[in-house]
Amino acid sequence: MESRGLFITVEGGEGVGKTTNMRFLEDCLRAAGVDLVVTREPGGTALGEQIREVMLQPREELVAPEAELLLVFAARAQHLSEVILPALDAGHWVLCDRFTDATYAYQGGGRQLPVPLVRELEQLVQGDLRPDYTILLDAPVAIGLSRAGDRGNLDRIENEQVAFFERVRATYLQLARESSGRYRVVDAAQSLPEVEAQLAKICQELAGCWQARRP
Ligand code: Z5A
């Protein structure tokens, strides 16, 4: 029996439907009996949620990409020590809306910060911890931005140029190719029922994994 929990992350660009589908995934996994902690980044702790607010609120001054990078890793350090590691150590599974792949995609791809810098902070903050399983909701940028736009109230990052989001998407797809063992790519451009059908298959795979790990 495997005593450490499974670390599952959900990733994707703006408006691809992460929030909507996190709920579906959570319901699906709980229905399969999975003992689950659901959380998000940036955030997941009181300090992390404050950092999220600081990071996402539109501001007059230009935020230095390095400042943004350090903010996400500061929130992540707290999240790991307060929520993620204790949950995994206790054998719970953790379902996290975004994690460090978002840093590679947004700060590495979008902001074009050097990848070795992200990697160095990843090692410093996380040690060897990496997600076991990552679900990437992928859709053309125009579709995601149109969905996010319909919702209104764009935050500081959502106000970026299309080219920024194209780099984010390209980085995610590259990560999925490089780590194909842990990635499952979902076509999020499809209708919601079609996206849910793809996610239901992934849930089945995960539920099988949960059963196999039980004593
Ligand atoms: N960020 C970062 O830069 N670096 C990092 O390391 C981390 C994060 C961890 C907050 O993330 C920001 O933090 C994010 C990256 C940055 N950028 N921004 N801004 P977030 O995940 O909280 O925020 P988000 O990416 O902006 O998510 P979102 O805007 O809430 O979008 P979403 O969750 O992907 O979509 P949604 O709210 O579920 O759906 C959007 C609309 O589309 C909604 O009306 C749905 O009903 C509709 N929808 C959803 N699916 C469908 C389908 N299939 N068909 C039709 N309509 C649909």
Side-chain angles (χ1 to χ4, degrees), residues 4 7 80 84-85 88 99 122-123 126-131:
R4 182 187 170 272
F7 185 26
L80 281 163
I84 297 176
L85 291 174
L88 293 175
F99 194 63
E122 179 183 42
Q123 198 57 39
Q126 296 166 220
D128 290 334
L129 181 84
R130 300 290 180 273

Side-chain angles (χ1 to χ4, degrees), residues 34-54:
V34 176
D35 186 355
L36 199 64
V37 171
V38 180
T39 186
R40 70 168 180 180
E41 288 213 349
T45 65
L47 177 63
E49 291 296 328
Q50 283 183 331
I51 293 173
R52 179 189 179 92
E53 251 185 74
V54 167

Side-chain angles (χ1 to χ4, degrees), residues 15-176:
V16 290
K18 275 182 304 77
T19 308
T20 310
N21 290 303
M22 279 287 292
R23 270 179 244 123
F24 180 84
L25 279 168
E26 178 179 357
D27 291 349
C28 224
L29 290 171
R30 287 199 198 283
V34 176
D35 186 355
L36 199 64
V37 171
V38 180
T39 186
R40 70 168 180 180
E41 288 213 349
T45 65
L47 177 63
E49 291 296 328
Q50 283 183 331
I51 293 173
R52 179 189 179 92
E53 251 185 74
V54 167
M55 182 174 146
L56 295 181
Q57 68 191 193
R59 355 179 40 99
E60 296 275 308
E61 77 272 31
L62 206 64
V63 175
E66 290 80 1
E68 197 176 88
L69 178 70
L70 292 169
L71 283 173
V72 292
F73 271 111
R76 186 161 299 137
Q78 186 66 21
H79 196 200
L80 281 163
S81 86
E82 205 180 313
V83 177
I84 297 176
L85 291 174
L88 293 175
D89 288 345
H92 307 300
W93 282 19
V94 173
L95 177 65
C96 189
D97 184 345
R98 295 195 186 279
F99 194 63
T100 306
D101 288 347
T103 315
Y104 282 103
Y106 282 81
Q107 282 66 49
R111 301 277 183 234
Q112 299 179 295
L113 283 171
V115 171
L117 181 59
V118 180
R119 203 170 284 137
E120 212 172 306
L121 288 167
E122 179 183 42
Q123 198 57 39
L124 177 80
V125 168
Q126 296 166 220
D128 290 334
L129 181 84
R130 300 290 180 273
D132 298 297
Y133 201 98
T134 298
I135 300 166
L136 174 63
L137 296 171
D138 176 63
V141 169
I143 292 181
L145 288 182
S146 137
R147 287 182 192 162
D150 288 347
R151 214 189 30 201
N153 291 334
L154 297 184
D155 65 37
R156 189 177 60 82
I157 293 182
E158 285 168 338
N159 276 309
E160 280 297 332
Q161 305 292 313
V162 171
F164 174 94
F165 297 111
E166 292 289 1
R167 290 196 296 275
V168 168
R169 183 182 185 212
T171 307
Y172 270 132
L173 290 172
Q174 189 187 335
L175 288 170

